[in-house]
């Protein structure tokens, strides 16, 4: 295998090109007449939007997935979700391991980054482990959902298995596509449907490196790496915060949880706290949520899930690492320490870069959509954050957006899905050691 940093195989090129190729193939397949029940071809923009959303495991749609697409089209969407999720976990894991030096190198490091080359056996081993892990979890969740669809909703075994498999793949890959016109609103209080889906969302979004480490040392949290500590504890904090906030803010809202039984509200609240972590399923109408809930979702969507997983956003590790940086600065400490380990300044700068670039992308995207529509800022911001963080939640405005706004959301989905991996790995691989220091000066801050 050629060096990852050389030629077109540099992370800044290989990741976007791989996902772009998948999007093009998906657009071509969804543009075929057989992709819809009718004889006409789907419009290219519609097919492209759906393909980008599926490959980037987002879930935003301009049409009803359950009725607009034929069984062939739905199989294509499911395949694109699987390809996108597998590619995300594999590429991000390989690049992450390369950055921290966990894989063997077949050539020396030139200038610390320029000619990394992976042993082909290492690559195959990682790819195989990711594939087996994904398929095992998806099969387990699909089995539970299939049994529920068959026993509770009287679906035939074939239909139940298809619905179970599709929603398992969609959930584990944090995609949010569903085979029902109201997404999952009809199952809002069904714990046997919603809880497995929520668990699949969390497991898929936590990241393969964390899953692998937990499998080996789940009983030894003191021995976890800093990455696993930040991801696991950060995920638990965000899940608890999201669930409690959703329950408190929506408990009496007649448009969302207000009309449900207490147990139904709990199920709906758990789902409402989990899906903003970039899953995209909606078991309630998000056009009816309170402004306070929308504000909470802004934050949860922007943060997202774990690195090298199927979730989007700036990632849990990025957010909580910067929280440690702030805490260290407030206490006047020179170093940022996490779990008795010092985090290098390069890593802190990379985290800051990812966050600032994410904010810039969302700001530009929001401004463009506002310019081409008459929509209010709150719903547009919800849509653009959802697109960039590959969440897929929507207040229902996506199908009515003009082409320019839809193209903007497509760009945000692609940049949000591919950009964070590319930027983070490229920055890390380009890290260089200066042989001199310029005179120091401190500008006024704040």
């Amino acid at each position: 295998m050629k060096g990852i940093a050389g030629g077109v195989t540099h992370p800044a090129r290989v990741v976007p090109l791989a996902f772009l190729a998948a999007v093009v193939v998906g657009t071509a397949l969804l543009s075929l007449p057989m992709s819809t029940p009718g004889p006409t071809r789907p419009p290219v923009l519609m097919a492209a939007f759906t393909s980008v959303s599926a490959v980037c495991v987002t879930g935003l749609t301009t049409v009803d997935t359950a009725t607009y697409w034929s069984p062939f089209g739905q199989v294509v969407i499911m395949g694109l979700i699987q390809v996108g999720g597998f590619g995300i976990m594999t590429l991000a894991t390989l690049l992450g391991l390369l950055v921290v030096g966990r894989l063997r190198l077949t050539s020396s490091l030139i200038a610390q980054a320029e000619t990394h080359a992976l042993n082909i056996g290492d690559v195959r081993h990682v790819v195989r482990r990711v594939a087996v892990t994904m398929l095992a979890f998806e099969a387990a969740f699909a089995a539970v959902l299939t049994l529920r669809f068959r026993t509770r909703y009287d679906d035939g075994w074939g239909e139940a298995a298809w619905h179970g498999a599709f929603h398992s793949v969609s959930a584990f890959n944090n995609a949010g596509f569903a085979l029902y016109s109201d997404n999952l609103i009809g199952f809002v209080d069904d714990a046997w449907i919603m809880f497995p889906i929520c668990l699949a969302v969390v497991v898929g979004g936590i990241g393969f490196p964390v899953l692998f480490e937990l499998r080996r040392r789940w009983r030894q949290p003191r021995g976890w790496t800093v990455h696993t500590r930040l991801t696991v504890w950060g995920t638990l904090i965000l899940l608890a915060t999201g669930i409690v906030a959703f329950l408190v803010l929506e408990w009496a809202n007649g448009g969302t949880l207000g009309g449900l039984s207490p147990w139904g509200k709990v199920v709906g609240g758990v789902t409402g706290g989990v899906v903003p972590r970039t899953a995209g399923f909606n078991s309630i109408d998000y056009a009816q949520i309170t402004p306070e809930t929308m504000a909470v979702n802004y934050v949860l969507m922007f943060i997202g899930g774990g690195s090298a997983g199927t979730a989007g956003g700036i990632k849990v590790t990025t957010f909580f690492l910067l929280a440690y940086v702030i805490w260290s600065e407030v206490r006047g400490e020179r170093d940022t320490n996490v779990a008795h380990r010092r985090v290098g300044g390069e890593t802190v700068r990379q985290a800051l870069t990812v966050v600032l670039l994410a904010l810039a992308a969302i700001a530009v995207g929001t401004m463009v959509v506002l310019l081409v529509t008459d929509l209010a800022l709150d719903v547009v911001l919800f849509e653009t954050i959802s697109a960039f963080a590959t969440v897929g939640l929507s207040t229902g405005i996506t199908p009515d957006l003009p082409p320019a706004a839809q193209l903007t959301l497509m760009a945000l989905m692609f940049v949000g899905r591919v950009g964070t991996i590319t930027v983070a790995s490229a920055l890390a691989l380009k890290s260089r050691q200066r042989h001199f220091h310029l005179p120091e000066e401190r500008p006024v801050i704040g």
Side-chain angles (χ1 to χ4, degrees):
M1 179 177 288
K2 294 182 180 181
I4 285 187
V8 296
T9 55
H10 190 280
R13 299 183 182 92
V14 66
V15 177
L17 289 176
F19 278 85
L20 183 60
V23 167
V24 171
V25 172
T27 301
L29 291 175
L30 291 176
S31 296
L32 297 174
M34 69 178 68
S35 293
T36 58
T40 59
R41 289 176 177 269
V44 175
L45 178 58
M46 185 180 298
F49 190 98
T50 304
S51 179
V52 171
S53 185
V55 171
C56 297
V57 292
T58 304
L60 287 176
T61 59
T62 57
V63 293
D64 180 6
T65 304
T67 59
Y68 186 86
W69 302 107
S70 66
F72 173 81
Q74 293 171 356
V75 170
V76 170
I77 292 172
M78 178 179 169
L80 293 175
I81 293 171
Q82 189 74 294
V83 168
F86 178 72
I88 290 161
M89 293 188 72
T90 303
L91 291 172
T93 299
L94 288 172
L95 291 171
L97 293 175
L98 176 59
V99 167
V100 299
R102 295 288 181 82
L103 294 178
R104 296 192 302 274
L105 302 178
T106 58
S107 64
S108 62
L109 304 181
I110 299 178
Q112 299 298 314
E114 291 303 322
T115 59
H116 286 294
L118 299 178
N119 181 286
I120 193 66
D122 291 325
V123 174
R124 288 177 177 172
H125 176 71
V126 172
V127 171
R128 183 166 56 249
R129 293 292 294 272
V130 172
V132 170
T133 301
M134 288 187 69
L135 293 176
F137 276 112
E138 288 174 353
F141 291 122
V144 175
L145 294 175
T146 296
L147 289 174
R148 186 59 174 175
F149 285 129
R150 177 68 179 91
T151 58
R152 176 65 176 82
Y153 299 97
D154 296 326
D155 291 349
W157 278 111
E159 184 179 12
W162 164 236
H163 283 189
F166 185 96
H167 292 95
S168 174
V169 169
S170 185
F172 185 83
N173 290 285
N174 280 226
F177 282 87
L179 295 179
Y180 299 94
S181 297
D182 61 355
N183 204 275
L184 298 180
I185 291 178
F187 307 103
V188 60
D189 58 352
D190 189 339
W192 286 99
I193 295 292
M194 299 314 306
F195 284 174
I197 285 178
C198 288
L199 183 58
V201 166
V202 174
V203 173
I206 205 169
F208 176 76
V210 174
L211 290 176
F212 181 64
E213 184 168 353
L214 289 179
R215 187 184 70 84
R216 292 183 295 118
R217 295 190 293 184
W218 68 275
R219 291 184 177 180
Q220 302 170 321
R222 292 183 177 273
W224 292 350
T225 61
V226 170
H227 173 75
T228 296
R229 285 171 179 260
L230 289 174
T231 303
V232 172
W233 300 123
T235 296
L236 292 175
I237 291 171
L238 292 174
L239 286 175
T241 301
I243 291 170
V244 171
F246 196 89
L247 284 170
V248 171
L249 297 173
E250 299 296 326
W251 187 272
N253 184 353
T256 56
L257 301 181
L260 301 175
S261 66
W263 173 244
K265 292 180 180 180
V266 170
V267 177
V270 170
T271 306
V274 171
V275 293
R277 307 293 314 290
T278 81
F281 291 108
N282 59 290
S283 62
I284 54 95
D285 183 2
Y286 275 81
Q288 303 296 321
I289 60 176
T290 65
E292 294 81 6
T293 302
M294 186 171 288
V296 171
N297 278 5
Y298 290 159
V299 177
L300 294 177
M301 292 192 299
F302 183 73
I303 297 173
S307 301
T310 56
I314 62 169
K315 303 300 187 294
V316 174
T317 46
T318 305
F319 176 80
F320 281 96
L321 173 59
L322 292 180
Y324 272 99
V325 171
I326 294 172
W327 180 243
S328 298
E329 188 65 26
V330 169
R331 298 178 62 183
E333 298 178 353
R334 295 179 60 87
D335 296 330
T336 300
N337 301 317
V338 181
H340 307 294
R341 293 291 186 272
R342 181 177 60 86
V343 178
E346 297 87 352
T347 304
V348 173
R349 290 196 297 271
Q350 290 158 18
L352 285 170
T353 302
V354 168
V355 171
L356 291 176
L357 289 177
L359 290 172
I362 292 170
V364 172
T366 301
M367 183 61 68
V368 172
V369 176
L370 287 173
L371 287 173
V372 299
T373 65
D374 296 324
L375 297 169
L377 174 61
D378 58 346
V379 295
V380 171
L381 186 59
F382 189 90
E383 204 82 4
T384 54
I385 295 177
S386 180
F388 177 84
T390 66
V391 180
L393 291 177
S394 175
T395 56
I397 66 173
T398 311
D400 300 323
L401 292 175
Q406 291 185 8
L407 289 171
T408 301
L409 293 184
M410 290 168 62
L412 285 173
M413 287 188 284
F414 191 83
V415 171
R417 178 69 278 172
V418 177
T420 52
I421 300 173
T422 302
V423 170
S425 59
L427 287 174
L429 292 174
K430 285 184 177 179
S431 178
R432 290 185 174 90
Q433 183 69 38
R434 282 187 178 271
H435 298 292
F436 63 91
H437 294 283
L438 296 173
E440 182 176 336
E441 185 173 337
R442 298 189 66 177
V444 178
I445 302 297

